[in-house]
Amino acid sequence: MKINWAENLRQNVHQLAESLGNLFVETFHYMALFAIGAVTAWAAVMEFLGMIEAGHIKIDDILLLFIYLELGAMVGIYFKTNHMPVRFLIYVAITALTRLLISNVSHHNPPDIGIIYLCGGILLLAFSILVVRYASSQFPSVKIAHPQRKIGAGSGEHPEVEKGEL
């Protein structure tokens, strides 16, 4: 019976350490998200101001702004759901490859096998989005008790699952 106090003390110390650890990890997590969001917004604004200063806008510049938009959307979705939307990373990659492809073509580089590689990469990434969407619809990360049941008046959405992930 005398060892019982030691076991209680050990459990209390363990709970305190776990709570402090969770606090530190979540604090770092949110500070890093704010920093990433702020840097993304700052970079997008600076790029936009650079376009205005240059006096003309190229398609490369517009696609770069779309990349910033997708990165900002990823940060926003992560704040709301605590899930990293892998699809958005793939969208960024597709936009980046498209930007590279358009840049190569618009600067009158002679056609070569590199264009085929870029197009193949874009096709592969588009196919990967299809696979991710199918997998997330067939194997959702959140179990739903009654998947056929409607939530609310005429709603087909489930509040527990991120839109597009069911």
Side-chain angles (χ1 to χ4, degrees):
M1 287 294 173
K2 292 193 177 217
I3 300 178
N4 194 20
W5 69 270
E7 181 62 26
N8 288 337
L9 180 62
R10 186 193 68 77
Q11 287 178 355
N12 288 339
V13 167
H14 177 73
Q15 288 175 352
L16 178 64
E18 186 175 355
S19 294
L20 284 174
N22 288 339
L23 174 69
F24 291 143
V25 167
E26 287 180 14
T27 300
F28 173 76
H29 176 231
Y30 284 117
M31 286 174 46
L33 275 175
F34 275 118
I36 291 169
V39 167
T40 301
W42 180 65
V45 167
M46 296 308 288
E47 187 66 33
F48 185 74
L49 292 175
M51 287 180 228
I52 291 174
E53 185 177 308
H56 63 282
I57 298 174
K58 298 177 290 197
I59 191 72
D60 296 349
D61 300 329
I62 295 170
L63 290 173
L64 185 60
L65 290 177
F66 271 109
I67 290 173
Y68 288 132
L69 177 69
E70 292 297 329
L71 291 173
M74 277 181 18
V75 170
I77 288 173
Y78 198 76
F79 263 118
K80 289 181 180 180
T81 65
N82 280 340
H83 296 295
M84 177 57 72
V86 175
R87 285 191 336 259
F88 282 79
L89 291 172
I90 299 171
Y91 294 149
V92 168
I94 288 173
T95 307
L97 287 179
T98 304
R99 182 174 184 257
L100 182 61
L101 179 67
I102 290 173
S103 177
N104 283 347
V105 170
S106 67
H107 295 338
H108 306 294
N109 289 338
D112 59 357
I113 195 72
I115 291 176
I116 301 298
Y117 290 150
L118 285 173
C119 292
I122 293 169
L123 183 63
L124 184 64
L125 288 169
F127 181 70
S128 69
I129 288 176
L130 180 67
V131 169
V132 167
R133 293 291 302 242
Y134 177 78
S136 65
S137 69
Q138 295 300 311
F139 310 105
S141 59
V142 177
K143 300 293 182 197
I144 301 170
H146 304 287
Q148 304 303 328
R149 185 179 56 135
K150 302 273 186 198
I151 307 286
S155 172
E157 296 183 14
H158 301 279
E160 307 90 17
V161 180
E162 178 184 343
K163 185 173 182 136
E165 294 296 320
L166 177 62

